[in-house]
Amino acid sequence: MHPAGEAYTLQDYLQWEGDWELIRGQPVAMVPSPSFEHQQVSAAIFRQLDESLDDCLHCQAVFEIDVEFAQDTVVRPDVLVICYQPEGERLTRAPDLIFEVISPRTTRRDEVVKFDLYRTEGVTHYVLVYPEAKKATVWRLEEGEYRKVGDFHDKTIVSNCPNAPSISISAACGSARAVKREHSPACTCCPRLALKPYGVSAPY
C-alpha cells in the first residue's frame, strides 16, 4: 500500500490503467500475474461453488470482479458468493462469502488489511486459503467480529448462519469432483456448500 497522502476515490480508480485495488482511499497494486497454482486453486473453488449453486435461484459464485464497498474502497477478491441481485453492472454490497488464495506477496494484505475491511463491511464468511500449507482458515462474522471456525485440512464442518449460506466444508487433496447438493433449513434459498477443491487439502 502506498504511503498515506492524497485520498483517491472511485472516480480516480476507474481511470487507472493496470490492476489496482483502492482501500480506504489508498491505491494498492495487485500482484502482476498470479502463479499457476494460485489460478488452479481459485478456478477449482469457483467451479465447485458454481456447481453447488446450480439449483439456487438467489445465490451465485463470481470470480475476479470488483466489489465497490464505498466511494474510496474497491477490491477484487479471488472468489466470492453473493445472495442478492446486483443493482446495475457492478457489485456495491457485501458478498456473503469471500475466498482469498494466499501468496507470499499478498499475505499481509489478505490476513490484516482485507480481514479488517471485510469484517467492517459485514462479509459473513471469510476463507483464507493457503496452497503451500494445504490448509484453509475459516472465519465467521458474529456480532460484528470475526470468530475463527477453525483450520481445516481434511475435515468437515457445518456452519449455520440465519442470514447466509450454511457451509459444509470438506477437502481431499487432489480431488476436484462435484459433491452432493444439500439444502440448509437455516436458509431456504441457499444450498449447503460441500466443496473438495483440486490441489488443496482444505475446506471451502
Side-chain angles (χ1 to χ4, degrees):
M1 188 175 297
H2 291 204
E6 180 181 357
Y8 294 87
T9 67
L10 172 63
Q11 286 66 40
D12 298 314
Y13 172 84
L14 295 174
Q15 304 301 316
W16 296 342
E17 297 181 359
D19 291 325
W20 294 85
E21 291 181 305
L22 179 65
I23 300 179
R24 292 167 178 152
Q26 295 301 303
V28 182
M30 298 185 68
V31 175
S33 179
S35 67
F36 176 78
E37 183 179 39
H38 183 285
Q39 294 292 74
Q40 186 181 45
V41 171
S42 295
I45 295 169
F46 169 77
R47 180 172 63 253
Q48 297 204 34
L49 282 168
D50 190 51
E51 290 174 356
S52 295
L53 291 165
D54 273 348
D55 296 331
C56 182
L57 300 178
H58 302 275
C59 301
Q60 55 188 311
V62 189
F63 68 96
E64 289 293 321
I65 188 171
D66 288 352
V67 179
E68 298 175 9
F69 283 117
Q71 283 295 309
D72 65 350
T73 300
V74 185
V75 295
R76 192 179 304 161
D78 289 318
V79 185
L80 57 87
V81 171
I82 59 171
C83 293
Y84 61 84
Q85 185 61 37
E87 299 176 0
E89 296 297 319
R90 299 194 293 268
L91 300 185
T92 56
R93 290 171 52 190
D96 294 87
L97 171 64
I98 286 180
F99 292 83
E100 294 285 9
V101 180
I102 306 299
S103 67
R105 288 179 290 183
T106 67
T107 300
R108 183 185 179 280
R109 186 185 310 174
D110 293 331
E111 290 183 341
V112 179
V113 179
K114 286 189 173 181
F115 184 94
D116 181 63
L117 174 65
Y118 296 159
R119 176 190 60 79
T120 302
E121 295 295 337
V123 176
T124 309
H125 289 92
Y126 183 30
V127 183
L128 291 162
V129 182
Y130 300 86
E132 292 185 3
K134 298 189 183 336
K135 177 186 78 172
T137 301
V138 181
W139 298 87
R140 181 175 58 236
L141 192 65
E142 297 179 0
E143 298 180 349
E145 297 293 338
Y146 273 139
R147 308 297 181 189
K148 187 175 180 179
V149 176
D151 295 317
F152 298 90
H153 297 269
D154 192 15
K155 301 179 181 178
T156 301
I157 66 167
V158 175
S159 173
N160 290 314
C161 177
N163 298 315
S166 292
I167 307 169
S168 175
I169 299 178
S170 181
C173 188
S175 172
R177 59 189 178 84
V179 294
K180 180 180 179 182
R181 300 184 190 93
E182 302 175 76
H183 287 277
S184 165
C187 180
T188 57
C189 68
C190 308
R192 180 172 299 166
L193 308 179
L195 304 177
K196 296 186 177 182
Y198 174 77
V200 175
S201 181
Y204 304 106

